[in-house]
Amino acid sequence: AVELKPGVEEVLEELTRRGIVNSIASRNDREPAIAALERLGVEGYFVAPRIDHSPKPDNLREIAQVLNLSLDSLAFIDNDPFERAAVTFTYPDVTVIEAEEYPRLPTMPGFDAGSGTAESRARAKSYHEEARRREAEDAFAGTRLEFLKSCEIELQVRLAERWDIARIVELAERTNQFNSSGLRYSAEDVDSILRDPGSTAIVANLSDRFGDAGLIGAMIMRRADKHCLVESLMVSCRVDGRGVPSALLVLALRLTRSERVSSLFARYNANERNRRLAFLYQMMGFLPTKADGSLWSFDVVGEPLPQVPEWLTLVGAMPELKA
């Protein structure tokens, strides 16, 4: 019978603690393979496994799509030189590692991400919930909008506290698709923002009928004499498609109006991964104020404010939520 090699479960546990999601791309019959993983007690460590007789590069692409990750964020670990070569040839951006190197994984570059926050530790659980959400949507007979409304999505927002610092730093480091500025903040940077009366840091937790995704977003704003600025908007790709970035921008607009200043500016440092944010700014009525598109603005005095997506409920103790 197949047995685990020494230290494998400890490595899986440590990677999971850091928020590194593990999956499987295997050429095998699915049911016996899943049964073996259950017998060994490690089935719960793996999210969206692809176990069939398809080429492993194809399975890697499917895993990346299900997890909403770019291929260059994947590492492929395999004992077969042919499979490793096939992945390298097909997807040069994927990190490829020989299987016998598994004890060294926690010390390798790229595997030290994550600061052990509650959200990091629960990341695999969150992806399992996402798999259930996708299955429910596939089986849903109505429209996409009707499905989203049925999910009972709630976004709870509040002012950040000192105990949120590690998670804000982590979001700045790890979010790419929905990171408006690309700025990386140290713990000292965030602590300074929390102490600055001219700055506002907001954090957001998302939950729905499938589970609680935890603290999945943060927004840092600065106040000037005649305007406010969204310096950074950061949202985890795990909650893609649920309207979180637009809801946070609506909140930013309401906060700006409550400050009795005329305009909200928003930074945007474009890269290959975050292009959708430019479309979001445009869709919500922001206008580019620089030729390179690095700054957008909204006239909160002259223009009606957009609304929170109709399938999402924005909650919290902030007065602007009732605007």
Side-chain angles (χ1 to χ4, degrees):
V2 175
E3 298 295 336
L4 290 178
K5 291 189 175 184
V8 165
E9 188 166 5
E10 288 77 8
V11 169
L12 289 171
E13 178 65 28
E14 176 60 19
L15 296 182
T16 299
R17 186 191 71 81
R18 298 180 187 186
I20 295 170
V21 177
N22 305 287
S23 188
I24 294 174
S26 175
R27 287 180 183 269
N28 268 297
D29 294 327
R30 181 177 177 84
E31 291 186 8
I34 293 295
L37 292 171
E38 292 174 346
R39 178 179 63 81
L40 295 168
V42 295
E43 188 268 341
Y45 287 110
F46 299 103
V47 178
R50 289 298 183 266
I51 304 173
D52 52 35
H53 295 280
S54 301
K56 290 191 178 181
D58 292 353
N59 280 338
L60 277 185
R61 184 185 66 251
E62 288 189 13
I63 290 168
Q65 289 172 344
V66 169
L67 300 183
N68 195 28
L69 297 172
S70 60
L71 284 161
D72 63 3
S73 65
L74 300 185
F76 176 69
I77 303 163
D78 203 281
N79 65 343
D80 188 330
F82 173 83
E83 300 289 3
R84 297 199 301 271
V87 168
T88 297
F89 179 81
T90 310
Y91 300 121
D93 290 338
V94 173
T95 300
V96 175
I97 300 170
E98 204 278 322
E100 290 303 316
E101 293 291 304
Y102 76 87
R104 295 183 50 243
L105 288 176
T107 63
M108 288 183 178
F111 288 85
D112 56 354
S115 55
T117 64
E119 286 73 18
S120 287
R121 293 189 294 272
R123 202 165 179 233
K125 175 177 175 289
S126 179
Y127 277 115
H128 283 298
E129 291 170 355
E130 176 62 20
R132 294 202 305 274
R133 190 177 291 105
R134 286 173 181 258
E135 290 173 0
E137 183 173 6
D138 289 343
F140 191 78
T143 65
R144 167 76 173 167
L145 176 59
E146 289 169 338
F147 173 73
L148 287 170
K149 287 181 176 180
S150 77
C151 288
E152 303 169 10
I153 302 172
E154 184 174 282
L155 186 69
Q156 184 168 23
V157 294
R158 58 177 172 80
L159 295 176
E161 302 285 356
R162 296 196 74 255
W163 55 79
D164 299 311
I165 289 176
R167 178 56 177 161
I168 295 172
V169 170
E170 188 174 65
L171 282 168
E173 289 175 347
R174 298 180 64 165
T175 57
N176 293 293
Q177 296 181 47
F178 295 103
N179 189 320
S180 63
S181 70
L183 293 174
R184 302 314 192 209
Y185 296 94
S186 67
E188 292 75 19
D189 293 333
V190 179
D191 184 61
S192 177
I193 290 167
L194 297 184
R195 295 174 184 272
D196 179 8
S199 300
T200 302
I202 294 168
V203 292
N205 288 65
L206 189 78
S207 62
D208 62 16
R209 64 184 174 91
F210 297 97
D212 187 340
L215 200 162
I216 46 74
M219 181 169 62
I220 293 173
M221 298 180 64
R222 307 282 191 175
R223 170 74 157 80
D225 288 339
K226 296 182 179 180
H227 69 268
C228 290
L229 169 71
V230 176
E231 178 178 281
S232 287
L233 174 65
M234 304 164 280
V235 177
S236 170
C237 65
R238 290 188 289 114
V239 295
D240 185 19
R242 278 172 263 177
V244 176
S246 56
L248 288 176
L249 285 173
V250 169
L251 176 59
L253 289 166
R254 293 177 181 176
L255 286 167
T256 300
R257 188 169 59 184
S258 73
E259 291 285 342
R260 302 188 183 281
V261 295
S262 60
S263 298
L264 174 67
F265 289 88
R267 290 185 61 168
Y268 173 60
N269 293 335
N271 58 54
E272 292 184 358
R273 298 188 186 180
N274 72 352
R275 291 176 180 171
R276 280 191 289 169
L277 276 170
F279 293 109
L280 177 62
Y281 285 142
Q282 187 175 20
M283 182 185 70
M284 294 186 67
F286 284 78
L287 298 174
T289 57
K290 287 190 176 182
D292 63 358
S294 62
L295 192 68
W296 294 68
S297 67
F298 192 106
D299 179 1
V300 299
V301 175
E303 298 293 334
L305 302 190
Q307 299 299 307
V308 172
E310 58 181 297
W311 60 82
L312 182 150
T313 302
L314 196 60
V315 298
M318 304 174 67
E320 293 78 14
L321 298 179
K322 300 177 182 179

